[in-house]
Amino acid sequence: MKAEKSQIQSVMAWIRRQPPKVKAFLAVVTAMAVLVFLRVIVHEHDNLFIASEAVHALGIGVLIYKLTKEKTCAGISLKTQELTALFLAVRLYCSFVMEFDLHTLLDSATLVTPLWVIYMIRFKLRPTYMEDKDNFAIYFVVIPCAVISFFIHPSTRHHIINRISWAFCVYLEAVSVLPQLRVMQNTKIVEPFTAHYVFALGIARFLSCAHWILQVLDTQGRLLTALGSGLWPVMVLLSEIVQTFILADFCYYYVQSLMGGQLVLRLPSGVV
């Protein structure tokens, strides 16, 4: 067991020494290998979406535990929670007016969590909030997402406002984690519960991205056609990929720290 662990640590050390371009190449190859593996073992690809929601729920559970038991919100980005609440609220509105289904109920339940976290940070745990570290200007993501959604949105028969709103929430979801990454970049040290929460987000988004990619492959591209015409189908898929790779670097250092037996994650300069 120790020999296997030593070999894994040697591999991780070798990867750490590689230049950024080699690391990016290895990340892409690894992601493709995992996609092939998932396509072979998971026959019903909708199960990947369910797994994504389950992992996300697990991460939310860790976050709730941190706030209720540890009585601290140190290391948690209030701005990420606000962006999450914003895109979920917009998506919930779109679900109600465009296609009321199971996802509407899931979004209703999911929206409660960031609203509760926002309440806890603002009113119950305010003294422990790292406001000086949570310094990402959210208009840097909200405004570009709004502008892009105005020009690139679904070409369905729904009202134009609803179509733009749907595109906005898709784009905003892809980048909503950026303030959380900025907090971790500023602190350089990430305590366990926050690290577990962000890692769960990374895994959940990878599974969601895998679900979309495998669905596109299975339908031989017909799924993209069903989403509409123009750039919108491509932007949907691109948004899934972007939100996965945004967290990829952090997930790498999380696994490295875990294999090294470190409870506290220390990030080198330039990460996230």
Side-chain angles (χ1 to χ4, degrees), residues 231-252:
L231 291 175
W232 168 243
V234 177
M235 290 298 290
V236 171
L237 189 58
L238 183 61
S239 296
E240 290 287 340
I241 295 173
V242 165
Q243 63 181 315
T244 300
F245 277 93
I246 282 177
L247 288 165
D249 204 22
F250 171 82
C251 290
Y252 162 74

Side-chain angles (χ1 to χ4, degrees), residues 193-232:
F193 289 114
T194 303
H196 298 336
Y197 164 66
V198 177
F199 180 72
L201 290 182
I203 296 300
R205 292 187 173 182
F206 173 78
L207 291 173
S208 177
C209 182
H211 169 255
W212 270 97
I213 293 176
L214 294 180
Q215 289 282 75
V216 170
L217 292 175
D218 286 349
T219 60
Q220 298 180 340
R222 290 191 300 273
L223 177 61
L224 292 179
T225 304
L227 289 174
S229 58
L231 291 175
W232 168 243

Side-chain angles (χ1 to χ4, degrees), residues 2-236:
K2 290 183 178 180
E4 292 180 359
K5 188 174 182 179
S6 177
Q7 291 176 355
I8 293 175
Q9 290 176 340
S10 298
V11 171
M12 298 294 286
W14 177 82
I15 294 175
R16 190 168 60 250
R17 294 194 299 268
Q18 302 309 305
K21 289 184 178 180
V22 175
K23 289 182 180 179
F25 173 76
L26 293 174
V28 171
V29 171
T30 302
M32 293 176 64
V34 174
L35 281 175
V36 172
F37 177 72
L38 290 174
R39 190 175 189 185
V40 171
I41 66 169
V42 181
H43 301 292
E44 181 55 56
H45 294 150
D46 282 341
N47 290 336
L48 290 176
F49 174 77
I50 297 174
S52 171
E53 293 295 313
V55 174
H56 189 195
L58 183 62
I60 289 174
V62 172
L63 182 60
I64 291 174
Y65 180 87
K66 172 185 172 67
L67 296 179
T68 56
K69 300 299 182 181
E70 298 292 316
K71 301 297 183 182
T72 176
C73 62
I76 299 297
S77 169
L78 173 63
K79 293 180 179 179
T80 279
Q81 298 302 317
E82 290 173 339
L83 290 176
T84 301
L86 177 58
F87 83 71
L88 282 173
V90 175
R91 192 164 72 186
L92 183 60
Y93 160 77
C94 294
S95 295
F96 269 115
V97 299
M98 296 175 69
E99 47 177 11
F100 188 91
D101 55 13
L102 177 61
H103 292 88
T104 307
L105 300 178
L106 288 174
D107 286 340
S108 300
T110 307
L111 178 59
V112 174
T113 302
L115 291 177
W116 178 80
V117 173
I118 292 170
Y119 168 77
M120 291 293 290
I121 294 176
R122 285 193 174 278
F123 301 105
K124 296 295 183 179
L125 303 173
R126 186 77 185 189
T128 63
Y129 172 48
M130 297 179 172
E131 187 172 2
D132 59 322
K133 304 296 184 182
D134 195 11
N135 56 7
F136 188 92
I138 60 176
Y139 55 80
F140 282 155
V141 293
V142 173
I143 294 177
C145 287
V147 172
I148 296 173
S149 63
F150 182 80
F151 292 101
I152 305 176
H153 49 261
S155 56
T156 61
R157 296 181 179 179
H158 300 93
H159 193 279
I160 183 64
I161 293 179
N162 297 335
R163 287 185 280 142
I164 292 175
S165 298
W166 183 263
F168 174 73
C169 70
V170 169
Y171 301 146
L172 188 60
E173 180 182 10
V175 294
S176 60
V177 75
L178 287 178
Q180 179 62 61
L181 296 182
R182 172 62 68 84
V183 170
M184 295 187 298
Q185 185 183 54
N186 289 336
T187 59
K188 290 295 188 293
I189 298 177
V190 186
E191 56 83 33
F193 289 114
T194 303
H196 298 336
Y197 164 66
V198 177
F199 180 72
L201 290 182
I203 296 300
R205 292 187 173 182
F206 173 78
L207 291 173
S208 177
C209 182
H211 169 255
W212 270 97
I213 293 176
L214 294 180
Q215 289 282 75
V216 170
L217 292 175
D218 286 349
T219 60
Q220 298 180 340
R222 290 191 300 273
L223 177 61
L224 292 179
T225 304
L227 289 174
S229 58
L231 291 175
W232 168 243
V234 177
M235 290 298 290
V236 171

